[in-house]
Amino acid sequence: MTKVKSSEITPESLYLNRRKFMVGVGGIILSTAGFPGCDNYKTTYEPSKGGVLPDDKLTSYKDITTYNNFYEFSLDKEDVIFAAKDFKTSPWKLEIGGLTEKSLSIDVDDLTKIYDQEERIYRFRCVEGWSMVIPWLGLPLARLLKEVEPLPEAKYVQFMTLHSPSRMPNQKSRSFPWPYIEGLRIDEAMHDLTFLSTGLYGKKLMPQNGAPIRLVVPWKYGFKSIKSIVRILLVEHMPSSLWMKVNPREYGFYSNVNPTVDHPRWSQASERRIGEFGRRETLPFNGYEEDVADLYKGMDLKKYF
Ligand SMILES: Nc1nc2c(c(=O)[nH]1)N[C@H]1C(S)=C(S)[C@@H](COP(=O)(O)O)O[C@H]1N2
Ligand SMILES: [Mo]
């Protein structure tokens, strides 16, 4: 494997791939009238990229940053913001390698300078039955994966969160097989909706949301969207995720949002949109069926949950 220095990452393909709609470079500027609670927030987004449904409203910045799942810090969603407040996320090395032609080791601050950041507004649903609509900032994972040139043997992508019990206090707890690991099939990882986020609401990510860089897979349950990533490895075999190790009966590799497959302890047919009253129906693939159903053609999604 040859190492690529971050200063060398300027291949032409990248510039050819540049999207028209980038934050700060024009594109559609939508006022957020109709997005209560975010009156001053201007968004540039491409409606064809997932985007929003007519009755989706942005969840408030306050809700997104105060109601979090991040077990390395706390199991209490409203306590994560406090438990993570001194977590230092710069400098931060992200490594990408494994079954690849090249490997990449880059500081996330450099990454955000080298690669244009774009905005994606995605619906996000937790397996526990609540959901949000979040304006993420970042880049498609595929852009970095293409950079390292996966070998033909690479069939899966494995992601790993930082493992540092001194910095992530709940990693001292032996109830979980740390570090947090997640995985995707390579075609899922290369899908244009699959996103690496470094910010939201136009600001850098806060520690509680997975700073400095986290995955966002909008058609899967929230736990797939692994936070504070230090390593991305291309591998041959299906990785075992933290949740599969903890409870394989309840959490499978695919974790696609499927309202017809109940969690063994509760129904997945509906969800509570944070900041709203009542519940709404959960959509297949979280509403991204048109974009992603092809990835699962011929698969029994009751078996591969
Ligand atoms: N490293 C790590 N990543 C994680 C988690 C976690 O506990 N640790 N929780 C997951 C779960 S269950 C959800 S619902 C989302 C929550 O993301 P948010 O707090 O930014 O909404 O992060 C996911 N990523
Ligand atoms: Mo979750």
Side-chain angles (χ1 to χ4, degrees):
M1 278 191 303
T2 33
K3 273 243 174 219
V4 194
K5 280 203 231 98
S6 54
S7 56
E8 289 170 359
I9 314 175
T10 48
E12 256 166 26
S13 60
L14 258 180
Y15 291 92
L16 296 174
N17 277 338
R18 270 187 178 185
R19 294 181 192 291
K20 273 200 218 122
F21 306 100
M22 289 178 296
V23 172
V25 191
I28 310 171
I29 309 281
L30 289 173
S31 92
T32 51
F35 286 145
C38 326
D39 295 341
N40 300 317
Y41 184 66
K42 293 236 187 286
T43 172
T44 68
Y45 83 100
E46 202 173 346
S48 64
K49 300 288 177 214
V52 289
L53 295 170
D55 60 346
D56 281 329
K57 296 176 176 54
L58 289 186
T59 303
S60 74
Y61 185 75
K62 180 154 189 267
D63 283 339
I64 297 170
T65 54
T66 57
Y67 190 81
N68 302 101
N69 268 334
F70 203 164
Y71 275 26
E72 287 86 337
F73 290 100
S74 173
L75 309 195
D76 174 348
K77 278 185 259 300
E78 278 156 37
D79 185 50
V80 174
I81 182 174
F82 303 108
K85 84 176 167 7
D86 296 323
F87 184 54
K88 204 170 160 260
T89 58
S90 169
W92 187 283
K93 272 261 177 303
L94 171 67
E95 296 188 319
I96 310 182
L99 298 173
T100 53
E101 281 296 338
K102 301 172 183 166
S103 68
L104 178 65
S105 174
I106 185 170
D107 189 90
V108 175
D109 287 329
D110 293 336
L111 186 142
T112 58
K113 284 175 207 142
I114 294 169
Y115 292 84
D116 294 309
Q117 307 284 292
E118 61 177 282
E119 181 163 72
R120 297 284 180 90
I121 298 179
Y122 285 156
R123 270 160 272 118
F124 186 85
R125 187 195 190 280
C126 177
V127 73
E128 295 164 323
W130 48 268
S131 64
M132 301 191 186
V133 181
I134 301 178
W136 301 103
L137 208 56
L139 71 165
L141 172 64
R143 284 179 64 188
L144 293 186
L145 294 183
K146 284 179 192 151
E147 201 78 60
V148 297
E149 300 173 21
L151 298 171
E153 305 90 274
K155 300 283 191 280
Y156 293 90
V157 185
Q158 177 187 297
F159 305 84
M160 192 177 104
T161 296
L162 176 71
H163 191 197
S164 174
S166 62
R167 296 169 62 192
M168 296 180 134
N170 202 42
Q171 283 182 339
K172 294 189 183 107
S173 154
R174 286 161 196 268
S175 313
F176 297 91
W178 309 113
Y180 200 102
I181 302 271
E182 261 305 342
L184 294 171
R185 221 170 52 194
I186 193 152
D187 56 342
E188 297 177 318
M190 296 296 279
H191 194 282
D192 184 65
L193 286 177
T194 306
F195 205 59
L196 275 177
S197 170
T198 55
L200 58 86
Y201 268 110
K203 300 189 238 269
K204 279 189 174 186
L205 281 184
M206 296 296 285
Q208 60 269 36
N209 291 106
I213 191 157
R214 59 93 54 87
L215 186 68
V216 186
V217 192
W219 71 94
K220 292 177 185 266
Y221 291 121
F223 62 85
K224 277 278 165 187
S225 295
I226 181 173
K227 295 177 167 180
S228 304
I229 301 168
V230 290
R231 192 183 302 155
I232 300 176
L233 270 187
L234 286 281
V235 296
E236 186 177 354
H237 301 288
M238 182 186 284
S240 189
S241 69
L242 175 132
W243 290 110
M244 289 161 73
K245 290 175 199 153
V246 168
N247 196 337
R249 210 175 71 84
E250 297 188 3
Y251 305 106
F253 179 80
Y254 282 95
S255 309
N256 288 321
V257 174
N258 189 342
T260 67
V261 175
D262 293 342
H263 184 276
R265 288 180 282 139
W266 58 81
S267 158
Q268 293 290 21
S270 72
E271 66 200 59
R272 179 171 63 95
R273 187 61 57 84
I274 301 297
E276 295 178 8
F277 297 105
R279 296 183 72 83
R280 54 169 76 205
E281 214 183 298
T282 287
L283 301 170
F285 297 105
N286 203 27
Y288 299 98
E289 184 166 18
E290 238 177 74
D291 305 274
V292 301
D294 272 1
L295 293 171
Y296 309 102
K297 250 201 233 132
M299 277 176 71
D300 177 356
L301 293 179
K302 292 203 154 102
K303 182 168 169 214
Y304 298 103
F305 61 93

